[in-house]
Amino acid sequence: MVDAEKKNPELEQNKKDGEMSLIGKVVVIGLFGGVFWSLLSYFTYVFNFTELSPNLILKPWILGDWKNRVLGQFIGIFVIGIISIGVALLYYALLKKFQSIWVGAGFGIALWLLVFYVFNPIFPDIKTVAELERNTVITTLCFYILYGVFIGYSISFEENEMKGQRRVVSANE
């Protein structure tokens, strides 16, 4: 009787929990990566390793002095997390096949170049790279590389896991 219950997929205890889709996992990876790395970036700002803080993302669009306080920092961290979802989806669309730390590091460097050279005019409080302190340049570049590796390797890992699961399911059918 017990074996018959285990083989019956209609019973509640035999149903598998629905797994998150790969796109859902990419969204979670992007959100977590953006929040985690920008939170660490905030700590480096507090300890004077960098002159740039997460609230920098708010300065071109939000008025008021509150954005320079702790609330502004945490709202900036949250906004970076939301933007990071788009960055993760971009990585998924373009580079998900590559399971290499170097691809993620290159992606991080490309993001750093994009932010500090292309988007620089949008942010009035960012000096040019030549004007930034050396600690700021090194710290931010390292964070972007680590962020790129985190996003890239996590997405590539999930892509390969899903491929492996699909192969197992098709082999069992």
Side-chain angles (χ1 to χ4, degrees):
M1 179 99 168
V2 174
D3 290 330
E5 288 176 356
K6 286 183 181 178
K7 292 180 182 179
N8 187 352
E10 299 298 318
L11 296 176
E12 185 68 30
Q13 68 264 20
N14 295 333
K15 290 184 179 178
K16 271 183 112 173
D17 291 335
E19 287 200 24
M20 191 182 301
S21 70
L22 184 56
I23 296 292
K25 289 180 181 182
V26 169
V27 168
V28 170
I29 289 167
L31 180 64
F32 178 79
V35 168
F36 178 76
W37 291 107
S38 59
L39 186 62
L40 285 179
S41 174
Y42 176 57
F43 290 130
T44 62
Y45 170 74
V46 168
F47 292 113
N48 297 318
F49 286 104
T50 180
E51 55 193 297
L52 303 175
S53 62
N55 72 338
L56 191 68
I57 194 84
L58 302 175
K59 290 188 178 186
W61 296 286
I62 306 292
L63 296 175
D65 194 40
W66 65 268
K67 65 186 173 192
N68 295 320
R69 297 190 187 113
V70 174
L71 176 63
Q73 301 293 348
F74 284 103
I75 291 174
I77 290 169
F78 177 73
V79 169
I80 291 169
I82 298 299
I83 292 169
S84 180
I85 293 172
V87 172
L89 290 169
L90 179 68
Y91 187 95
Y92 174 76
L94 301 176
L95 303 169
K96 68 184 174 196
K97 298 175 189 171
F98 303 104
Q99 192 170 11
S100 170
I101 288 176
W102 300 112
V103 173
F107 183 71
I109 291 169
L111 287 175
W112 187 85
L113 292 170
L114 184 73
V115 168
F116 284 91
Y117 285 100
V118 177
F119 292 153
N120 189 293
I122 295 173
F123 300 104
D125 291 347
I126 295 182
K127 301 173 194 172
T128 64
V129 174
E131 295 171 335
L132 289 171
E133 293 177 8
R134 184 180 307 178
N135 283 344
T136 298
V137 173
I138 292 169
T139 302
T140 56
L141 182 59
C142 288
F143 270 119
Y144 274 81
I145 290 170
L146 290 170
Y147 169 78
V149 168
F150 174 81
I151 293 291
Y153 206 76
S154 297
I155 290 171
S156 297
F157 176 81
E158 289 298 333
E159 169 73 11
N160 285 335
E161 284 293 307
M162 294 290 254
K163 280 183 185 176
Q165 288 176 358
R166 280 184 246 139
R167 278 188 231 130
V168 168
V169 168
S170 64
N172 288 337
E173 290 178 350

